[in-house]
Structures are given as C-alpha cells and as structure tokens.
Amino acid sequence: MNCCYVSCERIFDPSLEGKPVIVLSNNDGCAVSLSPEAKALGITLGVPWFQLAPRAKEWGLIQKSSNYELYADISRRVMEILSRHSAWIEIYSIDEAFLGLGPRATEDDLAAMGRRIKDEIRRLVGVPVCVGIARTKTLAKLANKTAKKMPVFGGVCVWEGTRPAWRAQLLAGLPVSEVWGIAGRLTRRLGAMGIFSIADLAAADPVAIRDRFNVVVMRTVLELQGTPCIDFEEEKLGKEQLIFSRSFATPITTRSAMRQVLSVYAQQGSARLEKHHQKAKILTAFAGTSFYNAHEKSFPSVLVPLPAPTSDPVVLAKAGQQLLPNLAEGVKYVRAGIMLTALSPATGQEAFEPFRFAHEDQSISSLIENVNRRHGRGLVGLGYGGLRPGPSWQMKRDSLSPRATTHWDELAVVKAS
C-alpha cells in the first residue's frame, strides 16, 4: 500500500496521526507515499515537492524524506511476525507478502486468523495492515484491495465468505486494470477484445486468452475463476544482479568527483556480494545527465568483464573507473551507478593463486561495512571512496526522521514517570 512509508513514520511520531503527510523520493524530489489525509487534498503520487511546497503551510502538509533504513527494518519485523502464522511465506515486496493457510480451514477460522494477524502486527510493530484471503494469489490481492477500501470489512476480507451476488457486482464495476499484473498496453489490448471489467476477464476463455496473449495472462484468468495457477516462489539464495545507483543532490561536472562516486558504489557492491556469499564476473558502470536538460545530453556506459569472479572492492573500483574517459568535463551529470551481473556463489572450489584477490581473501569490505554500521555511515572507506568530509553529491534528505531502530545515536527514548 502506498501509505506504507507514512505508517512507519507515525510509529515514532504519533503527532502525525490524522494529519496530511507525504514521504518524498530520493533528493526530496516527489511524493512516493501519501497519508489518506494527503490524498483527500487531491495530492497524487509522483507530484514534485516544488509544486506542493508553496501551499504546504496552508494545507498543514508535512513532508518527510525517505527513511529507507527505518522502513526496511519495520518491514523485516512485520515479515517475521507473518512467518509465525504459516510455514509457507513469500515476501512479495517491502510491504506485502503471501501466506499459505492450508485447505481445511473454515471461513470463520480464516476470518479469525486474518484479524489475529492484523491485530498482532498493529500491537507488536505499530503499523496498520489489511488482510485479503482467497483461494488464489490473484483473488487474495483483490480481497486485500477490498479490505483497504471498504471500511465495512474492518481490514480483513475473506473473498469466499462474501455473498456471490455482491462479488459479481463488484467485479463488474471494477476496471480490468485493477487486476494484479494487468496494466498499460495490456489493458488497451484487452479493451480491443471487449474486456473492460474484471468480470469480463474472469468470464473469458482461458485458452483463447493464451492464444491471443500468453500463458501468464491465461493463468490470471484461471486464478480469477478460482483455480490456483501461480505457485509460491521459494526464497532465492543470493541475487541475480546488484545495482547501486542514486541521483545526486548536486550535479557532478568533473571526472575526479565521479571517481569518488564510482569508488563508493564499488565498495558498497563488494560488501553486498560478501553478505550474499556471491562473486561477480561482469561490472557495468553508467552515468547520465537530466532528461529535462535540453542543452546537455550524455549517457555514457561501459561493460567490463572481470578477470575472474570476485567481490574484491579494489578490483571492482578499478573496473568502474573505466567509465571516466567516456565522461565529458563540465557536463552536469545528475546520476551514476554500477551494476554487477553474472553472479555466482562464493562457496565453490577455491581459485588457483593467480586468480585470487588479496582484499577479497581478507574480507576488507565486510570489515569496512561493519565499522560504518556500528559507528556511522561514511566514517571509513577504501581509496577514493574513503575521502572525507562527506561529498556534496550524496543524497539530499533535509526532512529525515530519526532512524530509530538501526542507529544507536538515533534510538527512540521513552520517559516514564
């Protein structure tokens, strides 16, 4: 739900309850999370902050910078509680998960379990959630939306527990774009076939849909008809790729400044690889000017095959800096990043001596990451990535709330008398 971040902010600042609140994207750019009160003002997702700022005081609108550390930790706590209620859990996003509840539970049992999950998360973590329960993932998503938007359900909707006539009326009134996985061009193509509502899609012939589109859309139709077709996905060990990229608070115009950016991202990439016990064989470095800058257009990139799969921060930093000759001095670059691909497990057979990397063997990245995590981000770094004071290009977060669960010096303090 797009008010997830706002809910996290309200845990440690109850004064935000009942007030219009928005959370801004990187560099305090645009609204990415809205409270119901902010939505009531007509604010929509993606609106730039500079357009809202002139009327913020008049509306009583409160803006917060994205507190990713806090949101990730709150999400982890919610998922841990969910895992207590089922052996089958699939974490779908930072604020959403699927649970398997078994086939024998009655509708009353399911409703009671949904309320228990909802109340337990509210009591132990402090965030409000809604629960949708159905036979298939697609219908469960639809039930969850229903629980959010219709107060009569009290935040818990058991799809099969509602009256068939009511369900039919609801599906007939909802556009097909409300279905999980149906959007954009696919919506228009379905409209050309006369499929405009969810009811239209549920009544379609699955085989004809497969022939016209693909097996994925056919599965959606079958799921709307009550046939489970989308299996639970097991949690993958490691990642398929890693990307480290940010927009800059201040544009970068020199190669020397960009060298530091790429070194910092390489160091972060190395630490993440070690965390997941992986190594990378290919590094891609890239940069770009603003899409709104009509006078300067530059989007250089370079793909660098590494000599052997590695997580060595020095090797990754040197590879990333191969982008520098492709940069134009004086051009205002507003973003840059590195992408690590061709990842493989680091637990395989040890490489021969000529293909081993000194900083990788010594776990330098893990050491630096542990120091920064314990004593403050950016306290120590490697090479150009360790230059102090903090660079002016780092992400702007002027309205950042305390990271109350992950940073010792920002922990919430409770006073009892």
Side-chain angles (χ1 to χ4, degrees):
M1 50 187 173
N2 56 27
C3 60
C4 166
Y5 293 171
V6 172
S7 298
C8 293
E9 295 285 348
R10 285 173 166 172
I11 295 175
F12 296 99
D13 189 356
S15 67
L16 299 177
E17 292 287 350
K19 297 180 181 178
V21 182
I22 65 172
V23 174
L24 301 174
S25 63
N26 293 346
N27 294 315
D28 295 341
C30 58
V32 294
S33 181
L34 311 170
S35 70
E37 297 81 7
K39 294 177 184 177
L41 293 172
I43 300 173
T44 57
L45 291 175
V47 177
W49 169 241
F50 73 84
Q51 293 182 2
L52 301 173
R55 300 194 63 184
K57 186 175 181 180
E58 172 192 346
W59 288 335
L61 181 63
I62 301 170
Q63 85 279 9
K64 293 289 183 179
S65 300
S66 291
N67 192 338
Y68 299 116
E69 299 92 334
L70 176 65
Y71 308 153
D73 189 59
I74 296 301
S75 173
R76 178 190 62 78
R77 296 172 186 229
V78 169
M79 300 308 170
E80 193 277 328
I81 292 174
L82 289 176
S83 67
R84 302 176 189 176
H85 295 272
S86 175
W88 306 319
I89 178 171
E90 177 189 332
I91 299 175
Y92 182 66
S93 66
I94 191 172
D95 65 341
E96 198 168 8
F98 292 104
L99 299 180
L101 300 181
R104 297 184 180 180
T106 66
E107 292 172 3
D108 290 341
D109 291 338
L110 293 174
M113 178 173 286
R115 289 191 294 270
R116 188 161 59 250
I117 291 173
K118 173 179 171 291
D119 295 343
E120 191 171 322
I121 291 175
R122 181 63 164 172
R123 177 171 57 87
L124 297 180
V125 182
V127 293
V129 299
C130 292
V131 180
I133 302 175
R135 292 175 183 161
T136 71
K137 280 185 172 182
T138 303
L139 288 175
K141 290 272 290 185
L142 196 57
N144 185 263
K145 283 187 178 182
T146 303
K148 290 177 188 176
K149 296 182 178 181
M150 303 187 70
V152 67
F153 287 99
V156 178
C157 175
V158 180
W159 188 251
E160 282 76 22
T162 60
R163 291 182 291 110
W166 178 87
R167 291 202 303 267
Q169 183 179 4
L170 178 69
L171 296 181
L174 289 175
V176 72
S177 58
E178 289 288 321
V179 177
W180 180 35
I182 305 293
R185 187 172 63 178
L186 182 55
T187 301
R188 294 190 291 272
R189 290 179 63 193
L190 289 169
M193 295 178 60
I195 298 176
F196 299 102
S197 70
I198 298 179
D200 294 335
L201 184 60
D205 179 4
V207 176
I209 291 294
R210 181 198 61 192
D211 294 341
R212 184 69 179 268
F213 298 94
N214 52 51
V215 70
V216 175
V217 184
M218 181 190 75
R219 287 173 183 161
T220 298
V221 174
L222 290 171
E223 289 242 326
L224 287 173
Q225 295 173 354
T227 302
C229 295
I230 304 176
D231 296 330
F232 273 76
E233 294 184 6
E234 295 183 1
E235 185 177 1
K236 296 180 179 178
L237 297 176
K239 304 291 183 180
E240 296 181 357
Q241 65 179 20
L242 293 174
I243 300 177
F244 297 85
S245 177
R246 285 284 186 274
S247 297
F248 306 138
T250 303
I252 286 180
T253 58
T254 65
R255 293 192 181 106
S256 59
M258 189 66 78
R259 180 183 288 113
Q260 185 182 27
V261 173
L262 297 171
S263 296
V264 169
Y265 289 162
Q267 181 177 299
Q268 294 174 351
S270 175
R272 191 70 61 83
L273 285 171
E274 291 197 3
K275 177 182 177 181
H276 294 298
H277 306 290
Q278 290 182 294
K279 298 183 180 184
K281 185 65 174 67
I282 297 175
L283 181 145
T284 303
F286 55 89
T289 54
S290 172
F291 291 103
Y292 302 102
N293 186 344
H295 305 290
E296 296 177 334
K297 296 292 184 183
S298 179
F299 303 95
S301 65
V302 61
L303 187 149
V304 184
L306 303 172
T310 182
S311 62
D312 189 314
V314 174
V315 174
L316 297 180
K318 289 181 177 178
Q321 289 170 19
Q322 292 190 32
L323 175 70
L324 298 178
N326 299 332
L327 302 179
E329 287 281 351
V331 171
K332 295 180 179 179
Y333 292 100
V334 298
R335 65 177 62 83
I338 65 169
M339 179 170 63
L340 301 171
T341 53
L343 305 186
S344 59
T347 54
Q349 184 176 359
E350 190 172 282
F352 292 113
E353 186 64 34
F355 302 102
R356 294 175 63 180
F357 303 95
H359 298 90
E360 179 184 306
D361 289 345
Q362 296 169 5
S363 298
I364 295 296
S365 283
S366 295
L367 174 62
I368 294 174
E369 183 68 13
N370 290 336
V371 171
N372 285 329
R373 186 183 299 113
R374 185 179 181 87
H375 298 287
R377 184 62 58 184
L379 182 67
V380 64
L382 188 66
Y384 290 101
L387 294 178
R388 292 176 63 85
S392 61
W393 50 264
Q394 285 185 335
M395 186 167 60
K396 172 184 172 184
R397 294 196 285 182
D398 291 341
S399 302
L400 183 67
S401 56
R403 293 160 291 187
T405 64
T406 60
H407 286 60
W408 287 110
D409 56 343
E410 299 180 25
L411 291 179
V413 177
V414 178
K415 296 181 179 179
S417 59

